[in-house]
Amino acid sequence: MQNRMMITGAGSGLGREIALRWACEGWRLALSDVGEEGLKQTLAMVREAGGSGFIQRCDVRDYSQLVALAQACETQFGGIDVIVNNAGVASGGFFAELSLEDWDWQIAINLMGVVKGCKAFLPLLEQSKGRIINIASMAALMQGPAMSNYNVAKAGVVALSESLLVELRQLDIGVHVVCPSFFQTNLLDSFRGPTPAMKAQVGKLLESSPISAADIAEYIWQQVARGQFMILPHEQGRLAWHLKQHDPQALYDEMASMAEKMRAKARPGQS
């Protein structure tokens, strides 16, 4: 029976909720994150939900740590059936304000972390005819203002997933990419941007979201079972993607107008 899963960024947020959703089905989970405290909590919750597994600290920027995680999965589980490349960080700021270091940090974690995760686990997935679930973002499809480095990193995750979808089909490896919009999470803990105002604006979006990480994990479970490649958990996100496919210029105009409003808000002395 295929029931072995690895999740990066499993110490909190969506990674934790994915672990809990699959734990309900009795899966064995390899949980990784940069912080061990959150991982211990997730593992305790997983066991309570009916799953089992182990934790291993892993920084997705370091390929050798991902290879060590893959080896641990082979040792403890005898292989792996599904990998979830979920670890990610938030950032924002207008292009002119973002430093090249901001770009390097964002690409290293949100894009190259996924590339390295796929690379490290591919040999195990070839043996099990397993699945890859990459967590991108609606930012990959919509390219909202004042988050260009985040948009580019997440768009890269979609392009990587599309590439793997067509390359790995003949190896019987399934590929899925998830593009959530804003949802209630602790993503702001990792937020990096040039202005506090930008963090406050993103915070408002996260708080106003009607959908939780647990809702998204449930939606991912259902869509993966159906074999859906691109998974868009938010109804608004599905509508926006539909609009972009049919009338991209209308969406660009909307985004440009949003950028104008954001600039106005960010100006000192204005609320």
Side-chain angles (χ1 to χ4, degrees):
M1 182 192 168
Q2 295 192 323
N3 66 352
R4 304 161 298 182
M5 173 184 263
M6 182 286 293
I7 307 168
T8 63
S12 63
L14 183 57
R16 172 178 285 174
E17 294 301 337
I18 290 171
L20 294 177
R21 180 62 189 86
W22 265 258
C24 289
E25 311 295 327
W27 279 55
R28 291 177 287 165
L29 301 157
L31 307 167
S32 76
D33 208 315
V34 285
E36 281 193 58
E37 206 43 56
L39 278 179
K40 288 175 188 167
Q41 290 168 9
T42 302
L43 183 58
M45 293 163 83
V46 156
R47 286 174 174 154
E48 213 171 295
S52 61
F54 70 93
I55 61 173
Q56 187 158 317
R57 191 190 172 280
C58 178
D59 184 335
V60 297
R61 289 173 292 186
D62 184 345
Y63 183 62
S64 67
Q65 291 185 31
L66 282 157
V67 169
L69 181 60
Q71 286 166 346
C73 289
E74 193 161 23
T75 304
Q76 304 232 23
F77 295 161
I80 205 77
D81 300 301
V82 181
I83 66 165
V84 184
N85 291 303
N86 166 72
V89 289
S91 67
F94 285 104
F95 181 76
E97 301 164 341
L98 291 170
S99 67
L100 290 177
E101 287 74 22
D102 289 331
W103 275 89
D104 288 343
W105 178 76
Q106 182 58 235
I107 300 287
I109 299 170
N110 281 7
L111 175 54
M112 290 310 298
V114 177
V115 171
K116 290 171 184 175
C118 291
K119 189 88 175 153
F121 279 85
L122 187 58
L124 291 183
L125 292 168
E126 285 176 342
Q127 289 170 28
S128 65
K129 312 286 189 200
R131 289 176 188 270
I132 294 168
I133 302 173
N134 291 331
I135 309 298
S137 164
M138 279 308 295
L141 307 176
M142 295 296 113
Q143 288 84 47
M147 48 201 288
S148 55
N149 58 345
Y150 186 79
N151 293 341
V152 168
K154 291 297 191 177
V157 173
V158 171
L160 169 69
S161 304
E162 289 174 336
S163 304
L164 294 175
L165 175 73
V166 296
E167 283 189 29
L168 301 180
R169 183 174 287 175
Q170 50 270 55
L171 299 177
D172 289 331
I173 296 173
V175 181
H176 311 269
V177 64
V178 184
C179 295
S181 305
F182 287 109
F183 59 94
Q184 297 147 18
T185 180
N186 63 339
L187 195 63
L188 273 196
D189 294 351
S190 70
F191 186 89
R192 187 156 153 177
T195 61
M198 194 64 65
K199 183 167 182 172
Q201 283 183 36
V202 174
K204 277 181 193 165
L205 282 168
L206 293 174
E207 282 165 23
S208 66
S209 172
I211 191 168
S212 70
D215 296 330
I216 291 171
E218 176 60 38
Y219 190 80
I220 294 169
W221 168 267
Q222 292 168 7
Q223 295 300 307
V224 165
R226 287 182 187 138
Q228 181 70 30
F229 166 66
M230 186 175 283
I231 299 173
L232 309 179
H234 293 72
E235 192 181 357
Q236 275 182 312
R238 294 192 287 274
L239 291 170
W241 178 229
H242 183 75
L243 169 66
K244 186 174 182 180
Q245 287 173 303
H246 289 84
D247 189 357
Q249 193 58 51
L251 192 89
Y252 300 143
D253 292 344
E254 175 65 31
M255 291 294 184
S257 148
M258 194 191 295
E260 238 172 278
K261 286 175 192 161
M262 288 171 82
R263 280 188 199 279
K265 271 190 182 176
R267 283 185 202 121
Q270 295 193 17
S271 58

